[in-house]
Amino acid sequence: MNTTTTTKTAQIKCINKDPRQDRYNAITHVGGYTDRQWKITQPDAIGMIERREWSFYTFANGHRAEVIVATRNGRKYLKTTADYDTPDNLLSLPECP
């Protein structure tokens, strides 16, 4: 049996962060909305990306930036690919409700 899985794509439009954490561990949740609002934890988003179930992106100032999993000091976190126009794409998003 041949099983094909399609990676779904969603735009991250908001984040929740813990201001006491350093910039690499500050994001606790990411979220967005299409026909309904959604919000997931950063570890859940990392798992979805690594399992290729979902891909995420941000869109700011006319530029799309893909969200990827990075590792720093042995800890995984989310960041956007460099677009050279909007540093810290994720950290600059508004807070999720």
Side-chain angles (χ1 to χ4, degrees):
M1 184 161 122
N2 197 357
T3 307
T4 304
T5 54
T6 303
T7 302
K8 300 174 198 124
T9 302
Q11 180 181 355
I12 294 175
K13 298 181 180 181
C14 62
I15 62 166
N16 291 122
K17 56 188 170 187
D18 182 347
R20 295 169 296 176
Q21 297 285 340
D22 65 75
R23 64 184 286 135
Y24 300 103
N25 298 304
I27 295 174
T28 60
H29 294 78
V30 294
Y33 46 88
T34 49
D35 57 336
R36 62 188 167 103
Q37 188 172 344
W38 58 271
K39 182 167 76 169
I40 56 176
T41 66
Q42 178 172 254
D44 285 345
I46 288 169
M48 291 173 178
I49 292 169
E50 290 180 332
R51 290 187 303 272
R52 298 178 198 229
E53 296 170 348
W54 283 88
S55 66
F56 299 99
Y57 68 96
T58 61
F59 194 82
N61 299 324
H63 297 280
R64 178 178 167 145
E66 300 302 315
V67 175
I68 60 172
V69 177
T71 304
R72 181 173 176 89
N73 297 327
R75 296 187 70 175
K76 293 180 182 181
Y77 67 99
L78 298 175
K79 72 174 202 167
T80 55
T81 54
D83 68 5
Y84 305 106
D85 286 336
T86 311
D88 298 327
N89 283 314
L90 284 171
L91 291 173
S92 66
L93 292 174
E95 286 282 320
C96 294

